[in-house]
Amino acid sequence: MTTELAKQKAAVAAVAVIESGMLVGLGTGSTAAFAISALGRRIREGLRVTAVGTSLATEAAARMAGIAMLDFADVARTDLVIDGADEIDSAFRAIKGGGGAMLREKIVAASATRMICIVDSDKPVAVLGAGRPLPIEVLPFARTYVSDAVRALGGEPVVRIAANGIPVLSDQANLLIDCRFGPITDPVALAGELTAVPGMLGHGLFLSEIDALFIGGDEGIERLERRI
């Protein structure tokens, strides 16, 4: 099974959980795009839901799919959030933010009664950070200060640059910095240290938000629930 097909199958399985009347949070990235498409199909078949998006791109894609969208600024709670991850370990701790929306994704995830993470079989890892950098969102004014703080914590910060040589900005017009820490043996401690840095607005460590994991693979969909 290809990676894209695995993502699609996981997304379809997660969208099948949605019930009429729910307010659904829709994630950002290639995996979440499959969920948007699947939800659009269910709505055309008669499902009645409203949704919020974690990025401007997600909001636009969802509207194109026929999904009724709300402004999250007017929303306090969501029933279900469906989103992907760059890496996730056995304790359902994840690195997110490859798509540049980790701050909005974390806010929407925090609003959710339940969050389902959808991934292909390449995303589960034994230890976070060994294969991917940790994205952070940074106030442009604090770029150098935050980068220096990341180095003091053992990371190597690199400002994310687009193909045209211009720094990539989030939907909030903040900088995105990818930080390589190597294997993150204590993600809880690192999350606390990063959160304490002034000017660091959000990081891609999702440690408690994810309730269920749907993994698409050659054997079908593996559904896992967080252990309490």
Side-chain angles (χ1 to χ4, degrees):
M1 182 184 297
T2 66
T3 297
E4 294 305 296
L5 182 56
K7 290 178 181 179
Q8 183 179 27
K9 287 185 175 296
V12 169
V15 168
V17 173
I18 298 173
E19 299 175 359
S20 281
M22 281 186 168
L23 173 54
V24 180
L26 299 172
T28 296
S30 60
T31 308
F34 288 119
I36 293 169
S37 178
L39 181 56
R41 287 194 298 272
R42 287 204 63 198
I43 288 171
R44 291 191 293 273
E45 294 167 357
L47 183 72
R48 299 176 64 85
V49 297
T50 52
V52 295
T54 55
S55 66
L56 299 178
T58 290
E59 291 174 1
R63 290 191 180 96
M64 287 291 292
I67 302 169
M69 300 299 291
L70 300 178
D71 184 345
F72 185 78
D74 299 321
V75 171
R77 300 294 303 172
T78 56
D79 297 301
L80 177 68
V81 167
I82 298 174
D83 204 351
D86 302 321
E87 289 185 342
I88 187 164
D89 69 11
S90 60
F92 286 26
R93 300 176 301 191
I95 287 179
K96 292 175 49 56
M102 86 290 294
L103 179 55
R104 287 193 180 201
E105 287 174 338
K106 186 164 288 186
I107 294 168
V108 174
S111 78
T113 300
R114 179 171 169 80
M115 180 178 180
I116 299 176
C117 183
I118 50 177
V119 297
D120 62 84
S121 58
D122 290 335
K123 299 302 187 296
V125 296
V127 181
L128 297 177
R132 296 189 65 95
L134 174 66
I136 61 175
E137 186 165 335
V138 176
L139 190 71
F141 173 79
R143 170 179 54 84
T144 300
Y145 173 78
V146 172
S147 295
D148 187 64
V150 167
R151 292 189 188 95
L153 294 173
E156 182 54 45
V158 177
V159 175
R160 194 178 298 184
I161 302 295
N164 59 6
I166 297 174
V168 176
L169 299 181
S170 71
D171 287 344
Q172 293 73 240
N174 295 314
L175 289 173
L176 300 171
I177 299 180
D178 295 311
C179 308
R180 288 202 174 272
F181 286 95
I184 301 172
T185 56
D186 192 343
V188 174
L190 180 59
E193 290 167 334
L194 288 170
T195 299
V197 177
M200 204 288 303
L201 303 176
H203 59 74
L205 284 170
F206 282 58
L207 304 183
S208 62
E209 292 84 358
I210 297 168
D211 299 295
L213 177 62
F214 287 19
I215 307 171
D218 291 336
E219 304 302 319
I221 305 300
E222 183 178 10
R223 296 171 171 84
L224 302 173
E225 294 288 332
R226 174 184 285 274
R227 302 187 189 95
I228 303 300

